[in-house]
Amino acid sequence: MQGVFITFEGGEGAGKSTQVRLLAERVRALGREVITTREPGGTEMAERIRALLVNGEPEALSSTAEALLNYAARDDHLRQVIRPALARGAVVISDRFHDSTRAYQAYAGNCPLTLVKALERDVLVDTWPQRTIILDIDPEQGLGRTRQRMGQQGRGAEAAEDRFERFGLAFHQKLRQAFLRIAQENPQRCVIISAARPVEEVAADVWAVVHPLLQPEDAGAA
Ligand code: TMP
């Protein structure tokens, strides 16, 4: 059986991780194997690379260095987690994937798009998401949510992971447009869902997009 690969994308504070969790619960209830994962991350090595990307000062890395690090992490994630799970027929739900590199590093940042396209072609090869849900939110509202969450959690032993949040509002406005552009460029794959609504309403829209992709195990076997 073929697996199903779904990605969530969007700016900061759009509620991706909550929606990933809720979707995973609903898919599991149908009896399918579900893998939830995130980028940068998802393997031990990729999580180490993540720490380099999300901590420290905004100017610590160029957009090009960020793109290369994200793709180093993504290559490991694809080989160790995503491709084996899809080959088993699992549903893989990733909190961010390749669109984040296009949006953050190329469209909103200044990494050459030619480099990002080459990395997509030679690292993803044939492993592209079937559906991408872009959770759209006004950046001021999204960043406000993130700050509130960090305030609640405190900044103790855990690193703040706020390097990208500190890029400034103008960057985050550009980022929102970047994700909308990606949706326009990939109308078959991408769906924009407004995230400025109650969690359950957003989850219902997500389910309406994903449910049709989940064929029963015996579908097509006849
Ligand atoms: P998260 O906050 O959604 O967990 O993601 C970590 C940060 O990494 C987030 O600010 C977006 C950024 N990022 C990129 O800049 N490029 C990428 O390719 C990915 C996957 C994430």
Side-chain angles (χ1 to χ4, degrees):
M1 188 177 57
Q2 260 307 90
V4 181
F5 186 19
I6 294 155
T7 58
F8 279 82
E9 298 282 1
E12 314 290 329
K16 289 181 287 85
S17 49
T18 302
Q19 293 301 328
V20 166
R21 182 173 50 75
L22 293 173
L23 176 62
E25 283 169 11
R26 290 185 95 156
V27 180
R28 278 193 191 108
L30 299 179
R32 293 282 301 249
E33 183 194 356
V34 180
I35 302 289
T36 60
T37 188
R38 69 169 182 181
E39 288 210 343
T43 68
E44 193 192 331
M45 188 54 74
E47 291 290 335
R48 285 162 69 177
I49 296 170
R50 177 187 177 93
L52 299 175
L53 282 157
V54 299
N55 298 309
E57 296 307 311
E59 57 279 2
L61 292 164
S62 69
S63 297
T64 298
E66 289 166 8
L68 293 168
L69 284 170
N70 270 294
Y71 266 91
R74 186 161 300 134
D75 183 65
D76 197 50
H77 192 204
L78 279 162
R79 285 168 198 272
Q80 294 212 47
V81 176
I82 298 174
R83 289 195 187 111
L86 292 174
R88 288 197 304 273
V91 177
V92 177
I93 307 172
S94 188
D95 183 339
R96 298 195 184 282
F97 191 63
H98 75 300
D99 293 314
S100 279
T101 310
R102 268 211 189 209
Y104 279 79
Q105 278 71 51
Y107 292 170
N110 49 32
C111 175
L113 184 58
T114 47
L115 174 61
V116 172
K117 284 187 177 173
L119 289 165
E120 286 173 357
R121 190 191 62 218
D122 292 339
V123 177
L124 306 190
V125 191
D126 55 2
T127 313
W128 299 74
Q130 268 138 286
R131 268 310 171 278
T132 296
I133 291 153
I134 296 177
L135 295 182
D136 179 58
I137 192 162
D138 175 72
E140 282 190 78
Q141 201 182 339
L143 289 166
R145 281 188 186 176
T146 310
R147 286 192 198 107
Q148 204 181 1
R149 190 179 61 214
M150 283 196 172
Q152 282 162 2
Q153 287 171 351
R155 292 181 183 230
E158 286 268 313
E161 292 209 339
D162 67 348
R163 185 171 157 259
F164 286 97
E165 278 143 47
R166 290 190 284 126
F167 271 38
L169 192 57
F171 176 86
H172 290 279
Q173 306 277 18
K174 254 174 113 175
L175 187 63
R176 185 185 200 185
Q177 296 311 315
F179 280 117
L180 298 177
R181 175 175 166 189
I182 287 170
Q184 249 176 12
E185 289 168 346
N186 301 276
Q188 313 277 15
R189 173 173 64 85
C190 296
V191 179
I192 298 168
I193 293 180
S194 167
R197 295 178 302 149
V199 167
E200 292 306 329
E201 275 181 36
V202 177
D205 285 1
V206 170
W207 187 239
V209 170
V210 174
H211 189 228
L213 303 176
L214 307 171
Q215 301 294 334
E217 295 220 7
D218 57 351

